[in-house]
Amino acid sequence: MKILITGMAGFIGFSTAWKLISHKYEIIGIDNLCNYYDVSLKKARLKKLENRKNINFYSVDIADNDSLSNLFSEHKFDIVLHLAAQVGVRYSIENPAIYARTNLIGFINILENCRKNEVKHLIYASSSSVYGLNTKIPFSTRDSADQPVSFYAATKKSNELMAHSYSYLYGIPTTGLRFFTVYGPWGRPDMAPFKFANAIFKGEVLDIYNNGEMSRDFTYIDDIVEGIICLIETIPMPRILEHFETGNPETNSVPYAIYNIGYGRPVNVMDFIQTIAKAVGKEAICRYMPMQLGDMKQTYADIEEFSRVTSHRPKVDVENGVFQFVKWYRDYYNY
């Protein structure tokens, strides 16, 4: 079976590719190596994948449809894991055009090439940020997610709607994954867990927003990857319904699914910082700030439907996950 992984130089893309090596799939990975964050980290991830069996990398931008179409025509992928995106909530407020190019134009290019080449299953990254102003917790895929508070979140919700239209029109099985605050070795420097560790190691001041009154459903990377792998051959099937559509992915008549992938237990941000500080062996120096535009006060995943379908439940708690992350950080940056 041949799998395309878009965004393979990214945190989740690399980690998924690394795990899939042992599953004997043939893997093709692409990435445009954009400079939104440290490109040397992306290159280091790719370096670890070099010379591994059944895996190849190409420098391709998903917004460049000619290059993407040539790749699809040449390789005839069975499965597409679409993990490439312009990420970052706050940066989307400063530079929305790049999000439109990558997350919207790039995504329609992926959908069109899946359609033309009869891909068996498209799995794509959505985000917990789509829940926006929702106050009902835990966040459930049964609930409306139509009030995003950042343009990044709006593009991810748009991806879900675009995928649904292609599933309906062309019968393409699509699965969207709403990831919840992923952290761990090889993580993204722009995300809070990495920023916290970086500041604590360097003895720098940490800006803590909403005066520390925030919580996140921190999810360790291994649990995310295992969840993705469980879904590769869990292909959504069309359902015959005796009632009208309700907007709930679980009662959708087309081959379309949406799942939360999180730990399923929110942690106060200050508690998470103290866990990192303990693992590093230094105190955190905190400066308390008001809420930032585009941020959410809390995230909390209802993972019951995902667990029912896959029999997978997250295994790595925050204390062990932070320990592994800090160990990697210490080794990678020679602390």
Side-chain angles (χ1 to χ4, degrees), residues 126-134 144-149 152-154 156-158 160 178 296:
S126 185
S127 168
S128 61
S129 65
V130 302
Y131 288 108
L133 293 177
N134 284 25
S144 172
D146 295 327
Q147 301 178 85
V149 295
Y152 167 71
K156 287 300 184 179
K157 179 61 179 178
S158 297
E160 295 179 3
R178 293 175 178 172
M296 298 165 65

Side-chain angles (χ1 to χ4, degrees), residues 21 25 27 49-56:
I21 290 171
Y25 294 114
I27 302 166
L49 295 171
E50 278 185 358
N51 302 318
R52 301 285 176 171
K53 290 183 179 180
N54 298 323
I55 188 166
N56 289 286

Side-chain angles (χ1 to χ4, degrees), residues 270-280 318-319 322-323 326:
M270 293 306 302
D271 291 340
F272 190 82
I273 290 170
Q274 292 307 316
T275 303
I276 294 177
K278 180 181 177 181
V280 173
V318 164
E319 186 170 337
V322 165
F323 175 82
V326 168

Side-chain angles (χ1 to χ4, degrees), residues 2-281:
K2 186 176 287 190
I3 297 178
L4 170 66
I5 301 178
T6 72
M8 195 170 79
F11 176 31
I12 299 177
F14 156 74
S15 301
T16 305
W18 181 257
K19 187 69 173 181
L20 283 175
I21 290 171
S22 62
H23 285 67
K24 298 182 180 178
Y25 294 114
E26 182 179 353
I27 302 166
I28 302 294
I30 62 172
D31 204 293
N32 70 350
L33 296 174
C34 79
N35 63 358
Y36 167 68
Y37 66 78
D38 184 10
V39 174
S40 67
L41 178 59
K42 299 180 180 183
K43 291 181 177 179
R45 292 172 182 145
L46 292 176
K47 186 74 174 176
K48 280 187 67 70
L49 295 171
E50 278 185 358
N51 302 318
R52 301 285 176 171
K53 290 183 179 180
N54 298 323
I55 188 166
N56 289 286
F57 172 76
Y58 297 91
S59 180
V60 174
D61 187 334
I62 59 170
D64 176 1
N65 195 46
D66 289 341
S67 297
L68 195 64
S69 295
N70 289 337
L71 187 80
F72 269 80
S73 296
E74 179 182 352
H75 290 282
K76 302 299 180 186
F77 302 109
D78 298 293
I79 307 292
V80 172
L81 299 182
H82 178 51
L83 303 173
Q86 177 58 55
V87 294
V89 167
R90 293 165 193 161
Y91 188 56
S92 71
I93 298 171
E94 302 169 20
N95 193 356
I98 193 170
Y99 287 77
R101 180 181 185 274
T102 301
N103 297 2
L104 300 180
I105 294 173
F107 192 66
I108 195 63
N109 291 342
I110 291 291
L111 286 169
E112 272 291 279
N113 282 287
C114 287
R115 176 182 71 85
K116 292 175 181 177
N117 293 276
E118 299 181 342
V119 167
K120 297 174 182 176
H121 191 191
L122 166 62
I123 301 172
Y124 62 94
S126 185
S127 168
S128 61
S129 65
V130 302
Y131 288 108
L133 293 177
N134 284 25
T135 57
K136 175 180 171 292
I137 56 173
F139 295 151
S140 171
T141 55
R142 301 180 185 90
D143 300 330
S144 172
D146 295 327
Q147 301 178 85
V149 295
S150 69
F151 186 64
Y152 167 71
T155 65
K156 287 300 184 179
K157 179 61 179 178
S158 297
N159 287 170
E160 295 179 3
L161 298 173
M162 294 159 74
H164 185 276
S165 69
Y166 268 66
S167 292
Y168 176 79
L169 291 169
Y170 308 113
I172 300 170
T174 64
T175 299
L177 305 179
R178 293 175 178 172
F179 296 131
F180 281 70
T181 315
V182 189
Y183 74 99
W186 299 98
R188 276 172 36 203
D190 65 308
M191 291 189 70
F194 201 109
K195 288 181 176 180
F196 296 158
N198 191 55
I200 293 168
F201 266 107
K202 294 179 179 179
E204 297 175 348
V205 176
L206 262 174
D207 287 338
I208 309 298
Y209 297 101
N210 202 41
N211 299 309
E213 296 178 8
M214 302 176 75
S215 62
R216 291 288 182 268
D217 199 335
F218 294 102
T219 313
Y220 190 65
I221 182 61
D222 287 6
D223 286 326
I224 292 288
V225 170
E226 289 296 336
I228 293 171
I229 291 173
C230 284
L231 287 168
I232 287 176
E233 296 185 50
T234 305
I235 300 175
M237 301 297 291
R239 306 167 183 87
I240 299 174
L241 301 180
E242 296 178 356
H243 53 80
F244 293 106
E245 302 287 341
T246 63
N248 178 354
E250 296 169 28
T251 59
N252 202 303
S253 62
V254 301
Y256 169 88
I258 296 287
Y259 298 109
N260 290 334
I261 299 191
Y263 187 63
R265 187 181 305 166
V267 174
N268 181 273
V269 166
M270 293 306 302
D271 291 340
F272 190 82
I273 290 170
Q274 292 307 316
T275 303
I276 294 177
K278 180 181 177 181
V280 173

